[in-house]
Structure formats: C-alpha cells, structure tokens
Amino acid sequence: KTRMPFDVVLADLRSIYQAETDRLEGRNRARLTELDLQRWTALIGASRAALYDGIAIHLARGFHMRNLTFEFCDAIMNDIHGVITSRDEVRSDLFWEVYLAFDEGEYYHQDNRDEDPVEAYTRPLVARIVADTSPR
C-alpha cells in the first residue's frame, strides 16, 4: 500500500513525539524543526498554513476519538505555534481554534484542582471543532 504524503507527516510526528514517555522519564522532549516543516510542505505540495491546518484537524480528530493523548497533541500544537510566532506567520482561524482548545487543558481554571481541565475544557472544545469541520 502506498502511503499518502500526509501519512508520512503523521508518521514523522509520531516518531518525533512518541517520546512522551521519555519526557516523563526526565529526558528532554524532542521538537519538530524548521527543516521538518520545509520537508513536509514540499511533500504535501501545499502552503505552510495548509500543513498547519491539516496537522491541527488530525490532532483534534485523533484526540476526540481518544486515539491520541492530550500530551501528544498539546506538545505538537505548542511547537507549531512557536514556529508560527517566531517566523511571524499568519495563523489560520482553524489552527488558532485547535491551539486554544488544547491550551485550555494546560492549567487549572480558577485554581480548581478538583476538575480535570482536559476533560472540562479541552474535550468539549475539540468536540465542537470536530463537529464543525466534519463533512456534512
């Protein structure tokens, strides 16, 4: 079976970020690089914004279906956002919405430690994004 170009991007992301267990064991977390982004953009034959949106919606859907962890998705979204910010690139509405949904799971709201912010905030926001972007 021939892999589609975006499948290569996803496989690379899994390879780079699989190391969530490594991070938990005290090792430094791997990050995507500018070279990764250049290679993937060339591979899929689309703009960086299209690449970012494709990754964002894939992460949102994978998280929504409980196939991807919050930590995995959040790390990737944070790293891409860092690249967008450092390069002063334009953020699409879709990317920003997904980024903010994962951001809401990073901290206790109103310092309420009885509430899991991922379940209380991120999951419902991601569910809405997935519903809004699903083919009708």
Side-chain angles (χ1 to χ4, degrees), residues 4-52:
M4 299 300 291
F6 201 76
D7 291 339
V8 174
V9 173
L10 301 176
D12 286 352
L13 285 169
R14 281 190 193 90
S15 175
I16 294 166
Y17 289 90
Q18 125 333 268
E20 195 51 33
T21 53
D22 291 350
R23 187 184 68 75
L24 296 174
E25 293 167 6
R27 297 187 197 105
N28 288 335
R29 180 171 67 78
R31 285 181 161 57
L32 56 85
T33 66
E34 176 63 29
L35 289 176
D36 293 323
L37 294 169
Q38 289 173 7
R39 186 168 37 86
W40 297 335
T41 302
L43 182 69
I44 67 169
S47 68
R48 285 172 76 115
L51 173 68
Y52 300 153

CSV table of all heavy atoms in Angstrom, one decimal, residues 4-52:
chain,number,residue,atom,x,y,z
A,4,MET,N,0.1,8.0,1.6
A,4,MET,CA,-0.2,9.3,1.1
A,4,MET,C,0.8,10.3,1.7
A,4,MET,O,1.3,10.0,2.8
A,4,MET,CB,-1.6,9.7,1.5
A,4,MET,CG,-2.7,8.8,0.8
A,4,MET,SD,-2.6,8.8,-1.0
A,4,MET,CE,-3.2,10.5,-1.3
A,5,PRO,N,1.1,11.4,1.1
A,5,PRO,CA,2.1,12.3,1.7
A,5,PRO,C,1.8,12.7,3.1
A,5,PRO,O,2.7,12.8,3.9
A,5,PRO,CB,2.1,13.5,0.7
A,5,PRO,CG,1.7,12.9,-0.6
A,5,PRO,CD,0.7,11.8,-0.3
A,6,PHE,N,0.5,13.0,3.4
A,6,PHE,CA,0.2,13.5,4.7
A,6,PHE,C,0.4,12.3,5.7
A,6,PHE,O,0.7,12.6,6.9
A,6,PHE,CB,-1.2,14.0,4.8
A,6,PHE,CG,-1.4,14.9,6.0
A,6,PHE,CD1,-0.9,16.2,6.0
A,6,PHE,CD2,-2.0,14.5,7.1
A,6,PHE,CE1,-1.0,17.1,7.1
A,6,PHE,CE2,-2.2,15.3,8.2
A,6,PHE,CZ,-1.6,16.6,8.2
A,7,ASP,N,0.3,11.1,5.3
A,7,ASP,CA,0.6,10.0,6.2
A,7,ASP,C,2.0,10.0,6.7
A,7,ASP,O,2.3,9.6,7.8
A,7,ASP,CB,0.2,8.6,5.6
A,7,ASP,CG,-1.3,8.4,5.4
A,7,ASP,OD1,-2.1,9.1,6.1
A,7,ASP,OD2,-1.6,7.6,4.5
A,8,VAL,N,2.9,10.4,5.8
A,8,VAL,CA,4.3,10.5,6.1
A,8,VAL,C,4.5,11.6,7.2
A,8,VAL,O,5.3,11.4,8.2
A,8,VAL,CB,5.2,10.8,4.9
A,8,VAL,CG1,6.6,11.1,5.2
A,8,VAL,CG2,5.1,9.7,3.9
A,9,VAL,N,3.8,12.7,7.0
A,9,VAL,CA,3.9,13.8,8.1
A,9,VAL,C,3.5,13.2,9.4
A,9,VAL,O,4.1,13.4,10.4
A,9,VAL,CB,3.0,15.0,7.7
A,9,VAL,CG1,3.0,16.0,8.8
A,9,VAL,CG2,3.5,15.6,6.4
A,10,LEU,N,2.4,12.5,9.4
A,10,LEU,CA,1.8,12.0,10.7
A,10,LEU,C,2.8,10.9,11.3
A,10,LEU,O,3.0,10.9,12.5
A,10,LEU,CB,0.4,11.4,10.4
A,10,LEU,CG,-0.6,12.4,9.9
A,10,LEU,CD1,-1.9,11.7,9.6
A,10,LEU,CD2,-0.8,13.5,10.9
A,11,ALA,N,3.3,10.1,10.4
A,11,ALA,CA,4.3,9.1,10.9
A,11,ALA,C,5.5,9.8,11.5
A,11,ALA,O,6.0,9.4,12.6
A,11,ALA,CB,4.7,8.1,9.8
A,12,ASP,N,6.0,10.8,10.9
A,12,ASP,CA,7.1,11.6,11.4
A,12,ASP,C,6.8,12.2,12.7
A,12,ASP,O,7.6,12.2,13.7
A,12,ASP,CB,7.6,12.7,10.4
A,12,ASP,CG,8.3,12.2,9.2
A,12,ASP,OD1,8.6,11.0,9.1
A,12,ASP,OD2,8.5,13.0,8.3
A,13,LEU,N,5.6,12.8,12.8
A,13,LEU,CA,5.2,13.4,14.1
A,13,LEU,C,5.1,12.3,15.2
A,13,LEU,O,5.6,12.6,16.3
A,13,LEU,CB,3.8,14.1,14.0
A,13,LEU,CG,3.8,15.4,13.2
A,13,LEU,CD1,2.4,15.8,12.9
A,13,LEU,CD2,4.5,16.5,14.0
A,14,ARG,N,4.6,11.2,14.9
A,14,ARG,CA,4.6,10.1,15.9
A,14,ARG,C,6.0,9.7,16.3
A,14,ARG,O,6.3,9.5,17.5
A,14,ARG,CB,3.9,8.9,15.4
A,14,ARG,CG,2.4,9.0,15.5
A,14,ARG,CD,1.6,7.7,15.1
A,14,ARG,NE,0.2,8.0,14.9
A,14,ARG,CZ,-0.3,8.3,13.8
A,14,ARG,NH1,0.4,8.3,12.7
A,14,ARG,NH2,-1.6,8.5,13.7
A,15,SER,N,6.9,9.7,15.4
A,15,SER,CA,8.3,9.3,15.7
A,15,SER,C,9.0,10.4,16.5
A,15,SER,O,9.7,10.1,17.5
A,15,SER,CB,9.1,9.2,14.3
A,15,SER,OG,10.4,8.9,14.6
A,16,ILE,N,8.7,11.7,16.2
A,16,ILE,CA,9.3,12.7,17.0
A,16,ILE,C,8.8,12.8,18.4
A,16,ILE,O,9.5,13.0,19.3
A,16,ILE,CB,9.1,14.1,16.2
A,16,ILE,CG1,9.9,14.1,14.9
A,16,ILE,CG2,9.6,15.3,17.1
A,16,ILE,CD1,9.5,15.3,14.0
A,17,TYR,N,7.4,12.7,18.5
A,17,TYR,CA,6.8,13.0,19.7
A,17,TYR,C,6.4,11.7,20.5
A,17,TYR,O,5.8,11.8,21.6
A,17,TYR,CB,5.5,13.8,19.5
A,17,TYR,CG,5.9,15.2,19.1
A,17,TYR,CD1,6.1,15.6,17.8
A,17,TYR,CD2,6.1,16.2,20.1
A,17,TYR,CE1,6.4,16.9,17.4
A,17,TYR,CE2,6.5,17.5,19.7
A,17,TYR,CZ,6.6,17.8,18.4
A,17,TYR,OH,7.0,19.1,18.1
A,18,GLN,N,6.7,10.6,20.0
A,18,GLN,CA,6.4,9.3,20.7
A,18,GLN,C,7.1,9.4,22.1
A,18,GLN,O,6.6,8.7,23.0
A,18,GLN,CB,6.9,8.2,19.9
A,18,GLN,CG,7.8,7.1,20.2
A,18,GLN,CD,8.9,7.1,21.2
A,18,GLN,OE1,10.0,7.4,20.9
A,18,GLN,NE2,8.6,6.7,22.4
A,19,ALA,N,8.0,10.2,22.2
A,19,ALA,CA,8.9,10.2,23.4
A,19,ALA,C,8.2,10.9,24.6
A,19,ALA,O,8.9,11.4,25.4
A,19,ALA,CB,10.2,10.9,23.0
A,20,GLU,N,6.9,10.9,24.6
A,20,GLU,CA,6.2,11.4,25.8
A,20,GLU,C,6.7,10.6,27.0
A,20,GLU,O,6.9,11.2,28.1
A,20,GLU,CB,4.7,11.4,25.7
A,20,GLU,CG,4.0,12.3,26.7
A,20,GLU,CD,4.6,13.7,26.8
A,20,GLU,OE1,5.0,14.3,25.8
A,20,GLU,OE2,4.6,14.3,27.9
A,21,THR,N,6.9,9.3,26.9
A,21,THR,CA,7.4,8.5,28.0
A,21,THR,C,8.8,8.9,28.3
A,21,THR,O,9.2,8.9,29.5
A,21,THR,CB,7.3,7.0,27.7
A,21,THR,OG1,8.0,6.8,26.4
A,21,THR,CG2,5.9,6.5,27.6
A,22,ASP,N,9.6,9.3,27.3
A,22,ASP,CA,10.9,9.7,27.5
A,22,ASP,C,10.9,11.0,28.4
A,22,ASP,O,11.7,11.2,29.3
A,22,ASP,CB,11.7,10.1,26.2
A,22,ASP,CG,12.0,8.8,25.4
A,22,ASP,OD1,11.8,7.7,25.9
A,22,ASP,OD2,12.4,9.0,24.2
A,23,ARG,N,10.0,11.9,28.1
A,23,ARG,CA,9.9,13.2,28.8
A,23,ARG,C,9.6,12.9,30.3
A,23,ARG,O,10.2,13.4,31.2
A,23,ARG,CB,8.9,14.1,28.2
A,23,ARG,CG,8.9,15.5,28.9
A,23,ARG,CD,7.8,16.4,28.4
A,23,ARG,NE,6.5,15.9,28.8
A,23,ARG,CZ,6.0,16.0,30.0
A,23,ARG,NH1,6.6,16.6,31.0
A,23,ARG,NH2,4.7,15.6,30.3
A,24,LEU,N,8.7,11.9,30.5
A,24,LEU,CA,8.3,11.6,31.8
A,24,LEU,C,9.4,10.9,32.6
A,24,LEU,O,9.4,11.0,33.8
A,24,LEU,CB,7.0,10.7,31.8
A,24,LEU,CG,5.8,11.4,31.2
A,24,LEU,CD1,4.6,10.4,31.1
A,24,LEU,CD2,5.3,12.5,32.1
A,25,GLU,N,10.3,10.3,31.8
A,25,GLU,CA,11.5,9.7,32.4
A,25,GLU,C,12.6,10.7,32.6
A,25,GLU,O,13.7,10.3,32.9
A,25,GLU,CB,11.9,8.5,31.6
A,25,GLU,CG,10.9,7.4,31.6
A,25,GLU,CD,11.2,6.3,30.5
A,25,GLU,OE1,12.3,6.4,29.9
A,25,GLU,OE2,10.4,5.4,30.4
A,26,GLY,N,12.4,12.0,32.3
A,26,GLY,CA,13.3,13.0,32.6
A,26,GLY,C,14.2,13.4,31.4
A,26,GLY,O,15.1,14.2,31.6
A,27,ARG,N,14.0,12.8,30.3
A,27,ARG,CA,14.8,13.2,29.1
A,27,ARG,C,14.2,14.4,28.5
A,27,ARG,O,13.0,14.7,28.6
A,27,ARG,CB,14.8,12.1,28.1
A,27,ARG,CG,15.5,10.8,28.7
A,27,ARG,CD,15.7,9.8,27.6
A,27,ARG,NE,16.0,8.5,28.2
A,27,ARG,CZ,15.1,7.5,28.3
A,27,ARG,NH1,13.9,7.6,27.8
A,27,ARG,NH2,15.4,6.4,28.9
A,28,ASN,N,15.0,15.1,27.7
A,28,ASN,CA,14.4,16.3,27.0
A,28,ASN,C,13.5,15.9,25.9
A,28,ASN,O,13.7,14.9,25.2
A,28,ASN,CB,15.6,17.1,26.4
A,28,ASN,CG,16.3,17.9,27.4
A,28,ASN,OD1,15.8,18.2,28.5
A,28,ASN,ND2,17.6,18.2,27.1
A,29,ARG,N,12.4,16.6,25.7
A,29,ARG,CA,11.4,16.3,24.7
A,29,ARG,C,11.9,16.7,23.3
A,29,ARG,O,12.5,17.8,23.2
A,29,ARG,CB,10.1,17.0,25.1
A,29,ARG,CG,9.0,16.8,24.1
A,29,ARG,CD,7.7,17.3,24.6
A,29,ARG,NE,7.6,18.7,24.7
A,29,ARG,CZ,7.5,19.5,23.6
A,29,ARG,NH1,7.4,19.1,22.4
A,29,ARG,NH2,7.4,20.8,23.8
A,30,ALA,N,11.7,15.9,22.4
A,30,ALA,CA,12.0,16.2,21.0
A,30,ALA,C,11.0,17.2,20.5
A,30,ALA,O,9.9,17.3,21.0
A,30,ALA,CB,12.0,14.9,20.1
A,31,ARG,N,11.5,18.0,19.5
A,31,ARG,CA,10.6,19.0,18.9
A,31,ARG,C,10.8,18.9,17.4
A,31,ARG,O,11.8,18.6,16.9
A,31,ARG,CB,11.1,20.4,19.3
A,31,ARG,CG,10.7,20.8,20.7
A,31,ARG,CD,11.1,22.2,21.0
A,31,ARG,NE,10.5,22.9,22.1
A,31,ARG,CZ,10.5,22.5,23.4
A,31,ARG,NH1,11.0,21.3,23.7
A,31,ARG,NH2,9.9,23.2,24.3
A,32,LEU,N,9.7,19.3,16.7
A,32,LEU,CA,9.8,19.4,15.3
A,32,LEU,C,10.7,20.6,15.0
A,32,LEU,O,10.9,21.5,15.8
A,32,LEU,CB,8.4,19.5,14.6
A,32,LEU,CG,7.5,20.7,15.0
A,32,LEU,CD1,7.9,21.9,14.3
A,32,LEU,CD2,6.1,20.3,14.8
A,33,THR,N,11.3,20.5,13.8
A,33,THR,CA,12.3,21.6,13.4
A,33,THR,C,11.8,22.3,12.2
A,33,THR,O,10.9,21.8,11.5
A,33,THR,CB,13.6,21.0,13.1
A,33,THR,OG1,13.5,20.2,11.9
A,33,THR,CG2,14.2,20.2,14.3
A,34,GLU,N,12.4,23.4,11.9
A,34,GLU,CA,12.1,24.2,10.7
A,34,GLU,C,12.3,23.3,9.4
A,34,GLU,O,11.6,23.3,8.5
A,34,GLU,CB,13.0,25.4,10.6
A,34,GLU,CG,12.9,26.2,9.3
A,34,GLU,CD,11.5,26.8,9.1
A,34,GLU,OE1,10.8,27.1,10.1
A,34,GLU,OE2,11.1,27.0,7.9
A,35,LEU,N,13.4,22.4,9.5
A,35,LEU,CA,13.6,21.5,8.4
A,35,LEU,C,12.5,20.5,8.2
A,35,LEU,O,12.2,20.2,7.0
A,35,LEU,CB,15.0,20.8,8.5
A,35,LEU,CG,16.2,21.7,8.4
A,35,LEU,CD1,17.5,20.9,8.7
A,35,LEU,CD2,16.3,22.3,7.0
A,36,ASP,N,11.9,20.0,9.3
A,36,ASP,CA,10.8,19.1,9.2
A,36,ASP,C,9.6,19.8,8.4
A,36,ASP,O,9.1,19.3,7.5
A,36,ASP,CB,10.3,18.7,10.6
A,36,ASP,CG,11.2,17.8,11.3
A,36,ASP,OD1,11.9,17.0,10.7
A,36,ASP,OD2,11.3,18.0,12.6
A,37,LEU,N,9.4,21.1,8.9
A,37,LEU,CA,8.2,21.8,8.3
A,37,LEU,C,8.5,22.1,6.8
A,37,LEU,O,7.6,21.9,6.0
A,37,LEU,CB,8.0,23.1,9.0
A,37,LEU,CG,7.5,22.9,10.5
A,37,LEU,CD1,7.6,24.2,11.2
A,37,LEU,CD2,6.1,22.3,10.5
A,38,GLN,N,9.7,22.4,6.4
A,38,GLN,CA,10.0,22.6,5.0
A,38,GLN,C,9.9,21.4,4.2
A,38,GLN,O,9.3,21.4,3.1
A,38,GLN,CB,11.5,23.2,4.8
A,38,GLN,CG,11.6,24.6,5.3
A,38,GLN,CD,13.1,25.0,5.3
A,38,GLN,OE1,14.0,24.3,4.9
A,38,GLN,NE2,13.4,26.2,5.9
A,39,ARG,N,10.3,20.3,4.7
A,39,ARG,CA,10.2,19.0,4.0
A,39,ARG,C,8.8,18.6,3.9
A,39,ARG,O,8.4,18.1,2.8
A,39,ARG,CB,11.0,17.9,4.9
A,39,ARG,CG,11.1,16.6,4.2
A,39,ARG,CD,12.1,15.6,4.9
A,39,ARG,NE,12.1,15.8,6.4
A,39,ARG,CZ,11.3,15.1,7.2
A,39,ARG,NH1,10.4,14.3,6.7
A,39,ARG,NH2,11.4,15.2,8.5
A,40,TRP,N,8.0,18.7,4.9
A,40,TRP,CA,6.6,18.3,4.9
A,40,TRP,C,5.8,19.2,3.9
A,40,TRP,O,4.9,18.7,3.2
A,40,TRP,CB,5.9,18.4,6.3
A,40,TRP,CG,6.5,17.4,7.2
A,40,TRP,CD1,7.2,16.2,6.9
A,40,TRP,CD2,6.5,17.5,8.6
A,40,TRP,NE1,7.6,15.6,8.1
A,40,TRP,CE2,7.2,16.4,9.2
A,40,TRP,CE3,6.0,18.5,9.5
A,40,TRP,CZ2,7.4,16.2,10.5
A,40,TRP,CZ3,6.2,18.3,10.9
A,40,TRP,CH2,6.9,17.1,11.4
A,41,THR,N,6.1,20.5,3.9
A,41,THR,CA,5.4,21.4,3.0
A,41,THR,C,5.7,21.0,1.5
A,41,THR,O,4.7,20.9,0.7
A,41,THR,CB,5.8,22.9,3.2
A,41,THR,OG1,5.5,23.2,4.6
A,41,THR,CG2,5.0,23.8,2.4
A,42,ALA,N,6.9,20.7,1.2
A,42,ALA,CA,7.3,20.2,-0.1
A,42,ALA,C,6.6,18.9,-0.4
A,42,ALA,O,6.1,18.7,-1.5
A,42,ALA,CB,8.8,20.1,-0.2
A,43,LEU,N,6.6,18.0,0.6
A,43,LEU,CA,6.0,16.7,0.4
A,43,LEU,C,4.5,16.7,0.0
A,43,LEU,O,4.0,16.0,-0.9
A,43,LEU,CB,6.2,15.8,1.6
A,43,LEU,CG,5.7,14.4,1.6
A,43,LEU,CD1,6.6,13.6,0.7
A,43,LEU,CD2,5.8,13.8,3.0
A,44,ILE,N,3.8,17.6,0.8
A,44,ILE,CA,2.3,17.6,0.5
A,44,ILE,C,1.9,18.6,-0.6
A,44,ILE,O,0.8,18.6,-1.0
A,44,ILE,CB,1.5,17.9,1.8
A,44,ILE,CG1,1.8,19.3,2.3
A,44,ILE,CG2,1.7,16.9,2.9
A,44,ILE,CD1,0.8,19.8,3.4
A,45,GLY,N,2.9,19.4,-1.0
A,45,GLY,CA,2.7,20.3,-2.1
A,45,GLY,C,1.6,21.4,-1.8
A,45,GLY,O,0.8,21.7,-2.6
A,46,ALA,N,1.7,21.9,-0.6
A,46,ALA,CA,0.8,22.9,-0.1
A,46,ALA,C,1.5,24.0,0.7
A,46,ALA,O,2.7,23.8,1.1
A,46,ALA,CB,-0.4,22.3,0.7
A,47,SER,N,0.8,25.0,1.1
A,47,SER,CA,1.3,26.1,1.9
A,47,SER,C,1.6,25.6,3.3
A,47,SER,O,1.0,24.6,3.8
A,47,SER,CB,0.4,27.3,1.9
A,47,SER,OG,-0.8,26.9,2.6
A,48,ARG,N,2.4,26.3,4.0
A,48,ARG,CA,2.6,26.0,5.5
A,48,ARG,C,1.3,26.1,6.2
A,48,ARG,O,1.0,25.3,7.1
A,48,ARG,CB,3.6,26.9,6.0
A,48,ARG,CG,5.0,26.5,5.6
A,48,ARG,CD,6.1,27.5,6.0
A,48,ARG,NE,6.4,27.4,7.4
A,48,ARG,CZ,7.6,27.1,7.9
A,48,ARG,NH1,8.6,26.7,7.0
A,48,ARG,NH2,7.8,27.1,9.2
A,49,ALA,N,0.5,27.1,5.9
A,49,ALA,CA,-0.8,27.3,6.6
A,49,ALA,C,-1.7,26.0,6.4
A,49,ALA,O,-2.3,25.5,7.3
A,49,ALA,CB,-1.6,28.5,6.1
A,50,ALA,N,-1.7,25.5,5.2
A,50,ALA,CA,-2.4,24.2,4.9
A,50,ALA,C,-1.9,23.1,5.7
A,50,ALA,O,-2.6,22.2,6.2
A,50,ALA,CB,-2.4,23.9,3.4
A,51,LEU,N,-0.6,23.0,5.8
A,51,LEU,CA,0.1,22.0,6.6
A,51,LEU,C,-0.3,22.1,8.0
A,51,LEU,O,-0.7,21.1,8.7
A,51,LEU,CB,1.6,22.0,6.5
A,51,LEU,CG,2.4,21.1,7.4
A,51,LEU,CD1,2.2,19.7,7.0
A,51,LEU,CD2,3.9,21.5,7.4
A,52,TYR,N,-0.3,23.3,8.6
A,52,TYR,CA,-0.6,23.5,10.0
A,52,TYR,C,-2.1,23.1,10.2
A,52,TYR,O,-2.4,22.5,11.2
A,52,TYR,CB,-0.4,25.0,10.4
A,52,TYR,CG,1.0,25.5,10.3
A,52,TYR,CD1,1.2,26.8,10.0
A,52,TYR,CD2,2.1,24.7,10.4
A,52,TYR,CE1,2.5,27.4,9.9
A,52,TYR,CE2,3.4,25.2,10.3
A,52,TYR,CZ,3.6,26.5,10.0
A,52,TYR,OH,4.9,27.0,9.9
